[in-house]
Amino acid sequence: MLTLYHGDSSVCSSKVRIGLAEKGIEWESRPINLPKGEQNDPAYLKLNPNGVVPTLVDGDLVVVESSVILEYVDELRPENPLMPTETAAKTIARIWLTRCIDIHAAINTMTFSTVNRQRTLATKTPEQIEASIAKMANPATASKRRDVMKHGLASVHVDAAFFTLWRMFDDMQTALAGSEWLLGDDYSIADTAILSYVDRLDRLGFAGLWTDRTPLVGRWFDASKARPSYSAISDYIDAGGAEKMREEGLNIWPEVESKWNAFLAAHTA
Ligand SMILES: N[C@@H](CCC(=O)N[C@@H](CS)C(=O)NCC(=O)O)C(=O)O
């Protein structure tokens, strides 16, 4: 039996849970409470030295990186294949999977520079904030978190996130212009990989990032949510928490929107 170490609201974890649901593979759950910092426990760090979720364990094999885990679970069983068989489509799928590292970083930035930052600043002292950042295993991630907490939407990481999201939405719009899913008329691993990231932006109340400029992203998002595997996200998020996140995000949205529009004006002139 596969064992998945995962966080309820973690986008990288839900991405893997969606893949497992699409494949119909049973798995054993090892929840990691991210707000409590369980990802930094020494025993967990032995499995995932970056102190992040998800981690999949299959016997002696430890698999990290959500996109690699997705490919692994897809290859475990021939049923419901997510990876296309044709070489060009397979290559494009792998490009989407590789881009997920940057896409996750962008989603993390959009979450922590807005709603999570406001919540943290409202409930923790600067010393408490620094103490929890200092526990982060990866110094690069810790340094980014410090910057985002300090500068919010003015952080340089927000420009980097906008660049990644701009490219992602435009490429999705192009891919979806002639087909229902990202790689054609069949649902694939690329769709599985991207859904939880778009879903987080929607839950933050930031759907305005795509509704006007790249509306096919919205069509794709609705179709993705209609699949039974979407419960791998929705079942793990409590309704009260979701409502609060959207409300808080929508309060910040005008500021996000104005920065996004300025970014687009500078990049699409
Ligand atoms: N590229 C990694 C990113 C993993 C990652 O950063 N996961 C987040 C949750 S989505 C995490 O565990 N964060 C822990 C922390 O920020 O301390 C993957 O896709 O697996």
Side-chain angles (χ1 to χ4, degrees):
M1 171 82 88
L2 300 177
T3 303
L4 181 67
Y5 294 77
H6 63 118
D8 282 354
S9 62
S10 139
V11 286
C12 304
S13 301
S14 43
K15 166 180 167 184
V16 170
R17 293 194 302 257
I18 296 166
L20 288 161
E22 288 287 345
K23 292 293 290 181
I25 295 179
E26 296 287 310
W27 51 282
E28 202 172 299
S29 171
R30 290 276 193 286
I32 298 289
N33 189 321
L34 298 181
K36 281 194 180 156
E38 288 177 6
Q39 67 278 26
N40 299 313
D41 286 352
Y44 182 68
L45 288 176
K46 282 193 184 140
L47 290 175
N48 191 323
N50 272 327
V52 294
V53 285
T55 302
L56 184 85
V57 178
D58 187 6
D60 291 336
L61 183 68
V62 177
V63 194
V64 296
E65 277 303 326
S66 53
S67 290
V68 178
I69 300 174
L70 266 190
E71 268 206 85
Y72 180 75
V73 299
D74 188 38
E75 286 183 19
L76 279 180
R77 304 260 176 88
E79 297 89 10
N80 310 323
L82 294 171
M83 184 62 92
T85 46
E86 194 257 321
T87 304
K90 209 191 284 187
T91 302
I92 296 168
R94 292 211 169 104
I95 293 172
W96 279 113
L97 291 173
T98 304
R99 285 175 78 173
C100 281
I101 295 197
D102 285 344
I103 294 169
H104 168 258
I107 299 306
N108 171 283
T109 301
M110 296 313 296
T111 308
F112 279 89
S113 65
T114 59
V115 170
N116 279 19
R117 175 173 184 266
Q118 287 197 346
R119 282 183 191 173
T120 307
L121 295 183
T123 55
K124 289 186 178 173
T125 64
E127 293 74 25
Q128 287 170 323
I129 297 172
E130 178 48 37
S132 77
I133 294 176
K135 283 190 197 135
M136 293 173 84
N138 184 328
T141 321
S143 148
K144 172 184 165 183
R145 183 67 54 85
R146 245 176 231 115
D147 193 80
V148 163
M149 279 295 150
K150 187 167 175 195
H151 300 292
L153 285 169
S155 166
V156 65
H157 294 283
V158 173
D159 289 326
F162 280 174
F163 179 80
T164 299
L165 296 177
W166 168 53
R167 297 310 330 133
M168 177 182 89
F169 291 135
D170 275 22
D171 290 346
M172 289 179 78
Q173 176 78 9
T174 303
L176 295 166
S179 62
E180 191 181 353
W181 301 105
L182 288 174
L183 298 185
D185 287 326
D186 293 327
Y187 178 87
S188 80
I189 196 163
D191 304 295
T192 314
I194 302 296
L195 175 59
S196 65
Y197 303 124
V198 174
D199 185 71
R200 166 61 60 79
L201 293 173
D202 181 60
R203 286 175 184 276
L204 284 165
F206 299 168
L209 291 171
W210 65 80
T211 42
D212 292 341
R213 260 191 96 248
T214 52
L216 294 178
V217 173
R219 187 203 73 195
W220 168 90
F221 183 44
D222 289 343
S224 300
K225 284 198 293 184
R227 296 177 76 84
S229 60
Y230 185 67
S231 63
I233 298 182
S234 54
D235 284 359
Y236 290 81
I237 296 177
D238 82 277
E243 206 178 306
K244 195 164 173 274
M245 177 183 264
R246 190 179 297 273
E247 197 183 299
E248 292 170 355
L250 283 171
N251 282 336
I252 310 169
W253 168 245
E255 212 185 318
V256 176
E257 185 181 31
S258 123
K259 246 192 112 60
W260 174 244
N261 286 339
F263 173 91
L264 290 176
H267 286 80
T268 57

